[in-house]
Amino acid sequence: MEIEAKFTVLDIQTFKQLAEVDELAGLRLGKVRVKLVHDCYLDTAQRAFLHAGYTCRLRTVGEVRIVTLKSFATATGALHQRQELEVQLTAATPGSAGQHVDLWPGSEATSFARELSGDQPLGLLFELRQERHVRLATRLGGDQAVAEVSIDLVRFGDDATVPAYELEVELLPGGRVADLEPVITELIERWAVLPESTSKFERGLALCCPELISALAENRTQTRSSE
């Protein structure tokens, strides 16, 4: 289960300040690590993942490639919770393996992807690129990281001239939802960031594949009806 808080950062000045602040709501922030991330969102020709309520993301950071399956987020304001399964592609895996589930290493994620896709090949929905400024957050006086703070410059699709500024605070195994609550409050009240109830997938889909928004909305309606 992935639990995180998402925000829209309104300007580059706030973006830079958040990358440098030492403390946030009683959490000590570590040194910034910059990651250049390339995300490709994939699906079958019949949009099997989308209709099942999942996204399939192939993320490349340097030489590391990870496929992640995520359920559509249940959001309460800035707070998102969703199921998540991952499998890392090995160095020996062919470069095109992201589009062929049968080439992924054996894992729970692989088995679930086969079930959803029916072993059909995957094609590209859209892609996004991020410059992520990542910081680990620890409780004051402690040494175990409880959350990962990512201040992101995001570019959707082929439009490299209009970035979005975003911030995510994701709980790590040592963290609790109670650690996020004061962070959410401080970010909104002190830093004037906006709670973001939609995911990057949803916004990317709206920008790059607007014809699929109705399928996404239909899935959300069915999900709410079954709850």
Side-chain angles (χ1 to χ4, degrees):
M1 178 70 72
E2 178 189 59
I3 302 175
E4 63 183 359
K6 291 177 171 288
F7 304 88
T8 294
V9 180
L10 297 178
D11 55 76
I12 187 62
Q13 291 78 16
T14 303
F15 179 94
K16 291 179 178 178
Q17 291 170 354
L18 284 166
E20 296 174 355
V21 67
D22 295 324
E23 184 181 328
L24 191 62
L27 297 179
R28 184 177 65 251
L29 301 184
K31 184 178 179 180
V32 172
R33 294 176 291 119
V34 178
K35 296 181 179 180
L36 299 180
V37 178
H38 180 201
D39 288 338
C40 293
Y41 286 92
L42 309 173
D43 209 334
T44 67
Q46 294 76 31
R47 310 308 184 212
F49 289 99
L50 181 65
H51 291 300
Y54 280 81
T55 65
C56 178
R57 183 190 71 199
L58 173 60
R59 169 165 289 179
T60 303
V61 183
E63 299 299 319
V64 178
R65 294 177 296 156
I66 297 176
V67 179
T68 304
L69 305 180
K70 293 187 181 187
S71 64
F72 293 154
T74 300
T76 304
L79 191 64
H80 296 242
Q81 299 188 55
R82 53 189 169 184
Q83 296 178 332
E84 179 181 80
L85 295 171
E86 290 188 338
V87 57
Q88 182 170 335
L89 304 184
T90 66
T93 306
S96 62
Q99 297 178 331
H100 299 279
V101 179
D102 58 343
L103 296 179
W104 299 0
S107 68
E108 184 179 358
T110 302
S111 297
F112 189 50
R114 283 177 174 163
E115 178 183 336
L116 293 181
S117 69
D119 282 331
Q120 294 299 306
L122 308 182
L124 179 68
L125 285 178
F126 66 91
E127 58 188 316
L128 63 86
R129 298 179 186 273
Q130 303 182 71
E131 179 183 294
R132 310 200 82 186
H133 297 245
V134 181
R135 311 182 70 182
L136 292 179
T138 59
R139 299 186 189 100
L140 295 180
D143 56 7
Q144 182 181 17
V146 298
E148 181 180 82
V149 179
S150 296
I151 307 112
D152 303 332
L153 188 155
V154 187
R155 291 185 171 91
F156 293 94
D158 296 327
D159 189 352
T161 63
V162 185
Y165 304 111
E166 305 190 8
L167 183 146
E168 297 180 358
V169 186
E170 181 178 350
L171 283 184
L172 297 177
R176 306 184 298 265
V177 173
D179 294 312
L180 280 182
E181 292 169 347
V183 172
I184 293 172
T185 299
E186 181 169 321
L187 283 168
I188 294 172
E189 294 182 354
R190 176 183 173 188
W191 294 95
V193 299
L194 300 179
E196 181 55 73
S197 61
T198 60
S199 65
K200 288 172 181 158
F201 171 79
E202 292 172 271
R203 279 170 280 139
L205 197 72
L207 286 169
C208 304
C209 307
E211 71 279 4
L212 296 178
I213 288 300
S214 59
L216 178 63
E218 180 181 352
N219 178 278
R220 288 201 175 283
T221 300
Q222 292 174 349
T223 299
R224 285 193 293 268
S225 298
S226 63
E227 290 177 347

